[in-house]
Structures are given as structure tokens and as C-alpha cells.
Amino acid sequence: MYAAIDTSKIRCLNESEFGACLHPFKPYSRRREAEPRLDSHDDDPELLLFVPFTRVVKLKSINIIGGHAGEGTAPSKIKL
């Protein structure tokens, strides 16, 4: 699936660091790597991601690995 993502056009609203929206999209073999990561601004924890694909895809599942060891933070909801 990673090969079908148009990474040059990924956009995010409310990311703490500009360009960090590219960080969570990795090849399957690197999915467990914690860094680099995508964080929202402290005052607004909501992230809005726009992820365009280069071809028609059929999503059967999605894998979200959230939270950071020792920090106690993780997404409480996701809407697709």
C-alpha cells in the first residue's frame, strides 16, 4: 500500500512540526520504528490528514500504532 501513496501531496492540519505528516507513512518492514513521529500542537490534539493515492486502492484494514513508551499518550478516536 505504501507504494500507492502520493507522499508529495500528503497534507496535515495541526501538526506540531511542518512536514511531519510524512513520518507515519512507512514501508511495512519499518512499521514498528518509533521515530520520526507525528504529533499535534499541545493546545489542540486533533490531527487532520489528507492522504492521496496514485491509483485506485481497496483498503481492507489499517494499522495504527499510537502512544509513546512512558509518555501515556495515544489516540482515543479515529475517523476515516
Side-chain angles (χ1 to χ4, degrees):
M1 183 65 61
Y2 177 74
I5 297 174
D6 188 349
T7 55
S8 68
K9 295 181 181 171
I10 293 174
R11 300 291 179 261
C12 182
L13 296 178
N14 203 34
E15 60 192 327
S16 61
E17 175 188 330
F18 181 77
C21 59
L22 300 176
H23 298 170
F25 301 98
K26 303 171 188 163
Y28 187 77
S29 61
R30 294 182 47 218
R31 71 190 180 282
R32 298 268 183 207
E33 292 178 12
E35 297 293 332
R37 63 192 226 189
L38 172 61
D39 291 314
S40 65
H41 288 291
D42 290 335
D43 59 340
D44 185 1
E46 187 174 88
L47 285 170
L48 300 173
L49 284 165
F50 171 72
V51 183
F53 293 94
T54 58
R55 59 183 179 262
V56 175
V57 296
K58 182 176 183 179
L59 293 176
K60 294 182 180 182
S61 66
I62 185 168
N63 184 10
I64 298 174
I65 300 171
H68 306 286
E71 292 183 26
T73 61
S76 60
K77 292 186 216 177
I78 180 171
K79 293 182 184 182
L80 301 174

